[in-house]
Amino acid sequence: MGKKGNLNGRFLCLQAIVVMTSCVGNSFITPILQRFGYEPFQIGVTMTCAAITAAVAKPLWGYLNDRFACAKQLAVAGTALGCAAYALLVYSGGQRVLTALAAMLLYLTFLCIMGLVDSWAVRLISDGWTLNYAITRAGGSLSYAFMAAGFGVVMADFGPKPGLPVLCVLLVLLVVTVWSLPNPKRTVGQARAVSMPQALRVLAHNRVFVLAVVAYFLCSITSSAFDSFFSVMVTGLGGTEEQVGIGLFCQAVSEVPVMFAYSALRRRIHCPAAYFLAAGMAFFGLKTLALGLADSFAMVFAVNLLHGLCYATLMAGCVDFVLETVPVELLATAHLLYSAVGNSLGAVVGNALNGGIAQVIGVQPMMVVVSTGGFVGALLVVYAMKRRTT
């Protein structure tokens, strides 16, 4: 298929907006729960409920995009609902049912939209548009970095309520941005329409894809230790939301050079994208292990600079892995199923498991223990690829 127009600039703006909404709406849930007096186990239970919601919803978002080519409409509607969910969280007063519901809705919307945008990129690349996912995602990472640092300072001084007008402004910008972007082409015609159960059966028979999902599940048990308990660790070292924001800034900035280098590196070494998945998982294990051993803010911030090698390598590799592994009519479904089972279901197990372990032995020892998931996941991907070539 011939190349169509260049979408890099517009898609970079989309990535930046979506990532900033997720930063405010998802990354600061735990600090908000801490303000409500939640203990590590209670945080783990709440985040487990949220992760279950995302695990169930992500494949549905992908299937809707494959079947109806409606990424633009889903992104706008989901972001609007996410703004309402954030309002529910910050005005809930810590009431357990309301905070759990709000966290679930935030994962259903902002977190799922992150995956939707990635699957949108996969579909547009398949349709023939000029789009460099790694470079556009680098713009998102840089936006996340400054939003994390800035909102961390704001939240330390004024609490989480200023996040609501910020999200509303981002919603307006999102509407303007998606108006200029194409929906993916409807590759599934009426004669070739695939039901959700049929799509799942096809993907279930793809052995490399299934093993990569299992590996991502194990890695997500490791990564959820950071995602849900980083702010608990920082406050345990005597920090505030400001230090949490600085830590998130360091990790997001570290993604930018890796995202820019990814395409050139793939062209140079000519290896399947699955090996980038394995490398990212191994770095997640190393990062989580190092955080568990950190004893100062300086060390925490230094370790967070490893995040680019973890997240950027894994996410950019995932886009190419799906393009290399699954049929074109299932690209969005496969991408979000990979994320749902691998990442969200892994977070379901990880948040409950990690919260229980942290309650007994502490947050940092817990990170040391669960760092093994990243290493085992990396080995499983390598094993899958070795079996594929023998």
Side-chain angles (χ1 to χ4, degrees):
M1 180 179 294
K3 289 293 182 183
K4 300 181 181 179
N6 189 314
L7 298 179
N8 284 328
R10 285 172 284 169
F11 214 82
L12 186 151
C13 293
L14 174 67
Q15 288 275 20
I17 294 166
V18 169
V19 166
M20 285 191 287
T21 61
S22 182
C23 176
V24 175
N26 294 133
S27 299
F28 286 89
I29 293 177
T30 298
I32 293 172
L33 296 179
Q34 287 182 275
R35 282 177 169 259
F36 292 148
Y38 278 45
E39 297 294 328
F41 181 73
Q42 294 171 316
I43 292 172
V45 170
T46 303
M47 300 310 291
T48 296
C49 293
I52 290 173
T53 304
V56 172
K58 279 183 177 179
L60 178 60
W61 283 68
Y63 177 73
L64 290 173
N65 193 27
D66 273 333
R67 187 69 182 270
F68 302 107
C70 56
K72 297 167 66 168
Q73 293 85 347
L74 287 172
V76 172
T79 302
L81 179 58
C83 292
Y86 185 84
L88 177 63
L89 177 65
V90 298
Y91 289 102
S92 68
Q95 206 279 333
R96 296 292 190 260
V97 174
L98 292 180
T99 53
L101 176 61
M104 292 165 67
L105 288 173
L106 286 168
Y107 267 51
L108 171 69
T109 54
F110 293 145
L111 191 66
C112 287
I113 291 170
M114 292 274 290
L116 173 72
V117 168
D118 289 342
S119 70
W120 191 356
V122 172
R123 288 289 308 278
L124 290 175
I125 293 169
S126 177
D127 289 345
W129 293 92
T130 299
L131 177 59
N132 187 319
Y133 171 82
I135 290 178
T136 61
R137 188 60 180 79
S141 298
L142 193 61
S143 300
Y144 181 101
F146 287 103
M147 178 61 78
F151 191 65
V153 172
V154 170
M155 188 168 169
D157 291 339
F158 304 105
K161 291 181 180 178
L164 185 56
V166 171
L167 289 173
C168 290
V169 170
L170 291 172
L171 173 60
V172 173
L173 294 176
L174 178 72
V175 172
V176 173
T177 302
V178 300
W179 187 265
S180 67
L181 287 167
N183 267 319
K185 182 181 176 182
R186 291 192 63 177
T187 57
V188 181
Q190 190 63 33
R192 299 180 61 202
V194 179
S195 69
M196 189 67 171
Q198 288 174 322
L200 295 178
R201 281 196 295 270
V202 170
L203 295 172
H205 284 87
N206 186 327
R207 185 174 64 178
V208 172
F209 179 80
V210 170
L211 289 176
V213 169
V214 173
Y216 195 19
F217 172 86
L218 295 173
C219 179
S220 294
I221 294 176
T222 297
S223 63
S224 64
F226 171 87
D227 293 338
S228 296
F229 295 97
F230 176 67
S231 66
V232 179
M233 185 190 77
V234 168
T235 54
L237 292 172
T240 66
E241 288 96 343
E242 183 174 351
Q243 280 72 43
V244 173
I246 293 172
L248 296 176
F249 173 88
C250 292
Q251 76 169 27
V253 165
S254 72
E255 295 174 15
V256 176
V258 180
M259 287 289 188
F260 274 106
Y262 171 80
S263 297
L265 187 60
R266 280 222 66 192
R267 287 194 299 269
R268 177 177 291 272
I269 64 177
H270 302 293
C271 75
Y275 289 108
F276 285 87
L277 302 185
M281 292 175 189
F283 279 117
F284 263 118
L286 178 62
K287 174 194 170 185
T288 307
L289 175 63
L291 281 175
L293 300 174
D295 59 2
S296 66
F297 289 134
M299 187 172 179
V300 168
F301 298 153
V303 170
N304 270 10
L305 293 174
L306 286 173
H307 190 75
L309 295 172
C310 309
Y311 185 80
T313 304
L314 186 63
M315 295 308 295
C318 175
V319 169
D320 286 340
F321 173 75
V322 171
L323 284 167
E324 292 174 1
T325 310
V326 304
V328 64
E329 64 269 19
L330 298 178
L331 287 174
T333 303
H335 186 277
L336 283 171
L337 181 68
Y338 176 84
S339 179
V341 177
N343 181 249
S344 297
L345 190 59
V348 170
V349 175
N351 284 322
L353 177 65
N354 299 342
I357 295 174
Q359 194 74 27
V360 175
I361 65 175
V363 171
Q364 288 187 270
M366 173 271 290
M367 290 188 175
V368 173
V369 172
V370 303
S371 66
T372 54
F375 299 122
V376 175
L379 292 174
L380 184 57
V381 172
V382 173
Y383 167 77
M385 294 303 294
K386 294 296 184 183
R387 287 292 302 273
R388 186 185 194 182
T389 57
T390 58

